[in-house]
């Protein structure tokens, strides 16, 4: 009863949390919609947008140095004194003054250029923030999808365990089941419950992250994401081409390039302190009292050029230049950091895309195979041909294989998103944009051109050429190292299926015990005299024959002695579990081992024996189970007229 209460409570929690996660927001939505919403409302992007606006105003402030300055001065004062003719009086003055810069050592022009390049830095920082938030939103979106699927898998796994628990509990109550089985399923049931709660917690966390980025909870139905078609040609090339293209489009890297140029203009601004300043000034003023403070209105107008030149100010000018030089060095260091960060991200993402793309077929094959085994074991368990442990192991293997496949699928899409973002084209690939952002050509003092091979070389990792063990062939003999028993065979040497040097077959007489594949052999023109199975069992992944099976060849030996002009074909078969190519080679090795045993133990002429491997192409039982594998892992013999 307690266990049933736990089931009910868990089911209630699962339903309520799932309903809570899906009851907010839109009924359905796509990644593009959420990314568009994020980049137009996210507070961090808004802050970067404000920084760009501030930088644009800095340019306007700097440009004001080219224009004249006009000041109006006025005063009105009551004066009381103990001398002069008028000892108490009210006096009034007014003056208008104009100052126009003529020369300041190019300080103003340098400041304008500096702030123009600085606003491009802010522009690229905004673009970089948009790319980053688009990436974070994409990852959060896909994580929500991922953990929803993982939660569904965990719940299905739990339901299966509950069904099995009920069967075992009923059999124990009826007195026909074992208490140990009940304890075993109880332990596995607790683990499956824990898996559900773990996935619920993960889903909660990624939903909270999604809420922070977008400002609302994800919709109940989320459209599938596939970035393979959205990726431009530049990110489908080799790693060097990807990096070179990314240097042109990555906003964070371009921000550091323009920042260096902005700091160089700051050096020019600091050096202007060593130049004189020349201004044109003009003024006109009037006052109601003259110089003797008598009640006489007087006026004065002047036009002239003012010259000022600082001789010494405590070393501040030299310190300002040194500071500007250090700022340039700092900007270069930031550029180098942006380079290595971008290069690392692109190389890792690119490698993930390649590796996972190659892993997915194997992971899917494992998942489908585990599903078939699980279904077969459930049927066999129901009729008492499988133990509880077999059933639970098959169920957990299916759950883990399905989980691994789902995770790999989303990891692949997330790697594509990272590669696009590091290349600075994720937003473009998604077809969304930030409203009201100017272009670089409208903001920059000058557009920069640089050699990426010098600024940020496209260096490959040392493992790029050796990353795939499944394709590595060290001695170039056509047999990959994974299957090659002799990885140092001589160049151009004839090798067998396992990469070891072999002599060329003699044309006459042709030996019949050379292993062959099913594709190389046919019985269409042969006269079959007899066919039968040979009772030889092989261990998994083995072609060794135990001495106890020598007597199993008696039928073959008798038939060959009966027919003087007869030969025998040894057929090797493998089970369905494992890689098909490996099973093909294994069946050929087993057939060859039987042929060799006939020659060695019975003295049969090798020219009367041939061996053929069929791999897993002719199973007796079309399933993957212990019993089926044992039946499919067999040797057959056919006696033919030579």
């Amino acid at each position: 009863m307690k266990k049933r209460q736990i089931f009910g409570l868990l089911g209630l929690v699962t339903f309520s949390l799932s309903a809570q996660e899906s009851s907010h927001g839109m009924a359905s939505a796509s990644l593009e919609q959420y990314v568009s919403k994020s980049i137009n409302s996210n507070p961090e992007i808004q802050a970067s947008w404000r920084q760009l606006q501030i930088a644009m105003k800095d340019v306007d402030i700097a440009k004001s140095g080219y224009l004249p300055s006009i000041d109006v001065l006025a005063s009105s004062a009551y004066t009381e004194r103990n001398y002069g003719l008028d000892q108490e009086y009210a006096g009034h003055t007014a003056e208008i003054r104009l100052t126009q810069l003529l020369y300041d050592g190019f300080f103003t022009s340098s400041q304008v250029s500096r702030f123009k390049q600085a606003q491009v830095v802010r522009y690229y920082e905004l673009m970089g923030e948009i790319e980053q938030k688009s990436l974070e939103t994409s990852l959060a979106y896909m994580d929500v999808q991922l953990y929803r699927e993982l939660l569904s898998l965990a719940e299905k796994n739990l339901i299966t365990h509950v069904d099995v628990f009920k069967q075992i509990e009923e059999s124990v109550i009826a007195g026909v089941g074992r208490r140990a089985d009940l304890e075993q399923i109880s332990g596995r049931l607790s683990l499956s419950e824990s898996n559900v709660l773990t996935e619920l917690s993960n889903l909660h966390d990624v939903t909270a992250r999604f809420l922070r980025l977008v400002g609302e909870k994800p919709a109940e139905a989320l459209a599938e994401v596939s970035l393979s078609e959205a990726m431009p040609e530049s990110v489908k090339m080799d790693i060097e081409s990807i990096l070179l293209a990314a240097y042109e489009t990555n906003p964070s890297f371009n921000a550091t390039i323009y920042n260096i140029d902005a700091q160089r203009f700051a050096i020019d601004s600091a050096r202007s302190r060593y130049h004189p300043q020349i201004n044109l000034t003009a003024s006109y003023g009037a006052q109601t009292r003259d110089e003797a403070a008598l009640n006489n209105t007087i006026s004065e107008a002047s036009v002239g050029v003012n010259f000022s030149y600082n001789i010494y100010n405590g070393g501040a000018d030299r310190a300002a230049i040194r500071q500007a030089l250090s700022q340039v060095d700092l900007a270069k260091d930031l550029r180098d950091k942006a380079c290595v960060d971008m290069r690392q991200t692109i190389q890792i993402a690119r490698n993930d895309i390649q590796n996972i793309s190659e892993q997915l077929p194997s992971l899917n094959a494992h998942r489908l195979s585990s599903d078939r085994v699980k279904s077969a074991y459930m049927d066999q368990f129901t009729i008492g041909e499988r133990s509880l442990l077999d059933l639970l192991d098959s169920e957990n293997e299916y759950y883990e294989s399905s989980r691994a496949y789902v995770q790999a699928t989303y990891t692949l899409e997330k790697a594509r998103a990272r590669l696009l973002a590091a290349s600075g084209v994720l937003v473009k690939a998604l077809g969304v944009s930030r409203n009201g952002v100017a272009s670089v050509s409208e903001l920059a003092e000058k557009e920069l051109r640089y050699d990426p091979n010098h600024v940020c070389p496209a260096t490959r990792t040392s493992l790029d050429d050796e990353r795939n063990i499944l394709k590595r062939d060290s001695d170039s003999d056509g047999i990959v190292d994974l299957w090659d028993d002799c990885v140092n065979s001589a160049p151009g040497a004839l090798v067998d299926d396992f990469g070891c040097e072999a002599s060329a077959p003699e044309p006459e007489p042709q030996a019949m015990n050379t292993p062959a594949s099913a594709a190389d052999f046919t019985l269409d023109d042969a006269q079959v005299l007899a066919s039968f199975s040979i009772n030889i069992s092989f261990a998994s992944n083995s072609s060794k024959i135990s001495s106890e099976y020598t007597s199993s060849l008696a039928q073959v030996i008798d038939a060959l002695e009966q027919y003087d002009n007869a030969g025998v074909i040894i057929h090797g078969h493998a089970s369905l579990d494992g890689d098909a190519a490996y099973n093909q080679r294994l069946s050929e090795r087993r057939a060859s081992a039987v042929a060799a045993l006939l020659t060695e133990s019975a003295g049969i002429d090798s020219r009367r024996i041939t061996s053929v491997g069929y791999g897993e192409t002719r199973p007796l039982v079309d399933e993957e189970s212990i019993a089926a594998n044992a039946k499919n892992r067999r040797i057959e013999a056919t006696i033919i007229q030579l």
Side-chain angles (χ1 to χ4, degrees):
M1 183 63 68
K2 181 179 180 182
K3 182 63 70 173
R4 292 193 178 94
Q5 291 174 348
I6 294 176
F7 295 158
L9 177 61
L10 181 60
L12 179 61
V13 171
T14 303
F15 175 80
S16 62
L17 287 179
S18 300
Q20 181 181 2
E21 297 293 348
S22 61
S23 61
H24 295 78
M26 297 175 284
S28 63
S30 65
L31 174 60
E32 291 78 6
Q33 289 176 285
Y34 282 128
V35 169
S36 178
K37 182 178 180 62
S38 176
I39 65 177
N40 283 288
S41 61
N42 185 274
E44 294 176 63
I45 294 180
Q46 290 294 101
S48 293
W49 167 243
R50 302 301 178 195
Q51 292 288 346
L52 174 59
Q53 291 180 310
I54 292 171
M56 295 171 70
K57 298 306 178 185
D58 285 338
V59 175
D60 295 338
I61 294 172
K63 284 182 177 180
S64 68
Y66 291 125
L67 301 178
S69 172
I70 301 175
D71 302 301
V72 175
L73 306 176
S75 67
S76 180
Y78 175 79
T79 304
E80 182 178 346
R81 61 183 184 174
N82 61 358
Y83 64 92
L85 298 177
D86 293 333
Q87 296 185 350
E88 294 183 15
Y89 63 89
H92 311 284
T93 63
E95 180 183 6
I96 183 170
R97 183 183 303 164
L98 180 145
T99 304
Q100 173 63 56
L101 172 69
L102 298 180
Y103 180 75
D104 63 353
F106 305 104
F107 174 82
T108 300
S109 61
S110 298
Q111 286 292 89
V112 170
S113 298
R114 173 191 172 191
F115 286 123
K116 274 191 172 183
Q117 298 303 76
Q119 71 179 351
V120 178
V121 176
R122 301 289 92 79
Y123 166 84
Y124 276 122
E125 287 177 349
L126 171 61
M127 294 296 102
E129 191 67 43
I130 289 175
E131 287 289 334
Q132 181 61 29
K133 288 300 175 286
S134 298
L135 173 61
E136 292 179 13
T137 302
S138 300
L139 297 181
Y141 180 96
M142 287 185 275
D143 278 340
V144 170
Q145 289 183 308
L146 168 63
Y147 285 108
R148 283 180 178 178
E149 287 195 36
L150 294 182
L151 176 59
S152 177
L153 285 174
E155 288 176 332
K156 291 177 181 177
N157 180 259
L158 175 60
I159 291 171
T160 301
H161 279 74
V162 170
D163 291 340
V164 175
F165 177 85
K166 290 178 179 179
Q167 294 181 41
I168 300 299
E169 186 181 44
E170 289 174 359
S171 64
V172 170
I173 293 174
V176 296
R178 294 176 295 182
R179 177 65 60 178
D181 286 346
L182 186 61
E183 292 297 330
Q184 188 175 63
I185 183 58
S186 296
R188 294 294 185 94
L189 184 57
S190 298
L191 178 60
S192 63
E193 290 174 353
S194 176
N195 290 337
V196 171
L197 293 174
T198 298
E199 303 302 355
L200 277 171
S201 178
N202 292 334
L203 179 58
H204 173 273
D205 292 347
V206 298
T207 302
R209 174 156 57 93
F210 185 94
L211 177 62
R212 175 181 67 84
L213 292 165
V214 181
E216 64 183 45
K217 290 185 178 181
E220 181 177 355
L222 299 177
E224 293 296 322
V225 178
S226 179
L227 296 175
S228 58
E229 296 299 326
M231 297 177 72
E233 290 300 321
S234 61
V235 298
K236 297 180 181 179
M237 300 179 288
D238 58 272
I239 189 65
E240 289 89 348
S241 301
I242 294 174
L243 288 169
L244 290 174
Y247 299 150
E248 295 287 339
T249 54
N250 182 280
S252 298
F253 180 70
N254 278 276
T256 62
I257 294 295
Y258 276 88
N259 188 41
I260 294 173
D261 201 50
Q263 298 307 322
R264 285 173 177 159
F265 283 116
I267 297 176
D268 296 336
S269 298
R271 286 173 175 167
S272 68
R273 295 170 179 263
Y274 285 99
H275 292 255
Q277 182 166 327
I278 302 174
N279 294 323
L280 171 67
T281 61
S283 64
Y284 175 82
Q287 58 188 45
T288 58
R289 294 278 174 167
D290 59 19
E291 294 180 353
L294 298 178
N295 190 16
N296 294 320
T297 300
I298 61 174
S299 62
E300 180 179 351
S302 67
V303 177
V305 176
N306 293 336
F307 176 93
S308 64
Y309 186 79
N310 175 258
I311 301 299
Y312 179 73
N313 68 345
D317 297 339
R318 179 174 296 180
I321 293 176
R322 290 177 177 174
Q323 181 188 52
L325 290 171
S326 296
Q327 292 285 359
V328 172
D329 292 337
L330 173 61
K332 290 180 179 179
D333 292 336
L334 294 175
R335 176 202 63 193
D336 294 341
K337 180 182 182 301
C339 168
V340 297
D341 288 347
M342 173 179 59
R343 190 164 57 200
Q344 171 187 288
T345 300
I346 288 177
Q347 287 174 328
I348 292 176
R350 171 72 170 182
N351 187 66
D352 286 346
I353 291 172
Q354 290 179 317
N355 281 339
I356 298 172
S357 296
E358 294 173 2
Q359 290 173 5
L360 275 177
S362 298
L363 291 172
N364 189 40
H366 182 208
R367 178 177 65 93
L368 296 175
S369 175
S370 300
D371 187 26
R372 292 194 296 268
V373 171
K374 181 197 69 168
S375 300
Y377 276 27
M378 178 62 77
D379 294 339
Q380 293 168 9
F381 173 76
T382 304
I383 61 177
E385 292 186 358
R386 283 289 167 190
S387 67
L388 175 63
L389 183 60
D390 290 339
L391 176 63
L392 296 179
D393 286 345
S394 66
E395 176 62 34
N396 285 336
E397 182 175 1
Y398 171 70
Y399 169 67
E400 293 296 339
S401 63
S402 299
R403 196 174 189 278
Y405 176 73
V406 171
Q407 285 183 311
T409 302
Y410 282 98
T411 301
L412 175 60
E413 292 302 326
K414 289 191 281 187
R416 287 171 176 162
R418 289 191 178 94
L419 181 57
L420 289 169
S423 300
V425 294
L426 176 59
V427 173
K428 180 180 178 182
L430 293 174
V432 297
S433 62
R434 164 80 189 193
N435 299 328
V437 179
S439 65
V440 176
S441 59
E442 298 174 359
L443 301 175
E445 170 70 12
K446 60 178 181 179
E447 290 195 52
L448 299 181
R449 292 290 181 266
Y450 57 92
D451 182 4
N453 291 308
H454 172 71
V455 173
C456 189
T459 307
R460 294 166 60 95
T461 61
S462 60
L463 297 178
D464 283 342
D465 295 325
E466 301 181 10
R467 49 172 298 277
N468 196 341
I469 189 174
L470 298 176
K471 297 180 180 179
R472 194 181 307 158
D473 184 5
S474 301
D475 52 8
S476 301
D477 61 356
I479 306 298
V480 296
D481 291 355
L482 192 63
W483 294 97
D484 201 334
D485 292 339
C486 304
V487 294
N488 56 350
S489 56
L494 181 66
V495 297
D496 58 22
D497 289 343
F498 299 97
C500 295
E501 295 186 28
S503 58
E506 297 181 4
E508 292 294 341
Q510 183 176 358
M512 295 187 65
N513 63 344
T514 302
S517 67
D520 300 327
F521 190 83
T522 177
L523 290 173
D524 291 344
D525 299 325
Q527 180 182 353
V528 178
L529 302 177
S531 296
F532 38 81
S533 296
I534 300 177
N535 183 27
I536 295 179
S537 297
F538 293 94
S540 178
N541 299 324
S542 175
S543 61
K544 292 183 179 180
I545 303 176
S546 175
S547 58
E548 64 185 85
Y549 290 111
T550 304
S551 59
S552 301
L553 300 175
Q555 272 187 299
V556 177
I557 297 171
D558 292 341
L560 292 175
E561 290 177 350
Q562 180 181 356
Y563 302 103
D564 293 335
N565 295 324
V568 62
I569 304 169
I570 306 299
H571 308 272
H573 301 271
S575 58
L576 298 179
D577 59 328
D579 180 73
Y582 175 81
N583 287 338
Q584 177 63 43
R585 294 186 179 91
L586 183 59
S587 66
E588 294 170 11
R589 288 163 56 192
R590 287 170 174 168
S592 296
V594 174
L597 185 60
L598 278 173
T599 301
E600 295 168 4
S601 63
I604 304 298
D605 191 341
S606 61
R607 287 176 295 179
R608 302 178 67 188
I609 309 170
T610 190
S611 58
V612 183
Y614 289 93
E616 57 183 49
T617 60
R618 298 185 179 183
L620 292 178
V621 182
D622 190 17
E623 68 177 44
E624 294 182 33
S625 65
I626 296 176
N629 292 341
K631 290 181 180 179
N632 291 331
R633 197 182 297 128
R634 70 194 189 280
I635 292 292
E636 296 172 342
T638 301
I639 306 298
I640 63 171
Q641 182 70 47
L642 294 179

